[in-house]
Amino acid sequence: ATHQEELKKKTSALSETRQQLEKAEQERGTLQASLDKLSQEGQKQQAELDKKKAQEEKEALTKEMATVKEALSKASKALKESHTQLETEKKSSKATLEEK
């Protein structure tokens, strides 16, 4: 009878262990699904960050280009004025020479 009881105890313990194992396996599956979801969310956030950073860099470059264009425009205007002044002085000198 004691051998029978011992066998029953072991069978019961084995059954309980199997149930715990199945439960642990289910929990592992749930945790894995959560991990996958978090990983996807992380990738999504990283992509949004990259997009935002690219947009900020684009805006900074656009601003910089506008500044360079403005400086170029001013330099071009100054060059034209210099050229006009030079032409005027040239004509003035020519007229002065012709008078002599």
Side-chain angles (χ1 to χ4, degrees):
T2 53
H3 183 68
Q4 195 87 21
E5 286 173 14
E6 199 66 36
L7 204 58
K8 249 186 188 177
K9 277 184 185 176
K10 285 183 179 177
T11 306
S12 179
L14 201 60
S15 177
E16 198 176 309
T17 303
R18 188 176 290 123
Q19 286 177 346
Q20 287 174 344
L21 196 63
E22 286 171 4
K23 190 177 179 185
E25 193 61 39
Q26 285 177 342
E27 285 177 13
R28 191 186 72 79
T30 304
L31 287 171
Q32 187 62 50
S34 295
L35 189 64
D36 292 346
K37 192 175 179 183
L38 282 172
S39 178
Q40 282 181 334
E41 193 62 35
Q43 288 173 350
K44 192 176 167 186
Q45 287 179 350
Q46 187 61 50
E48 286 174 16
L49 267 175
D50 291 347
K51 191 176 174 184
K52 189 176 179 184
K53 190 176 179 183
Q55 184 63 36
E56 287 171 357
E57 286 174 3
K58 184 182 174 188
E59 286 170 9
L61 279 174
T62 303
K63 230 178 196 176
E64 202 174 317
M65 278 173 61
T67 305
V68 168
K69 274 185 181 178
E70 192 179 323
L72 204 56
S73 177
K74 284 181 183 176
S76 180
K77 194 175 181 182
L79 200 59
K80 280 180 186 173
E81 286 172 4
S82 260
H83 185 69
T84 305
Q85 193 177 351
L86 202 60
E87 286 298 311
T88 306
E89 287 175 11
K90 208 172 170 184
K91 285 177 187 171
S92 174
S93 294
K94 205 175 191 182
T96 307
L97 279 174
E98 285 173 2
E99 284 176 14
K100 292 182 178 178

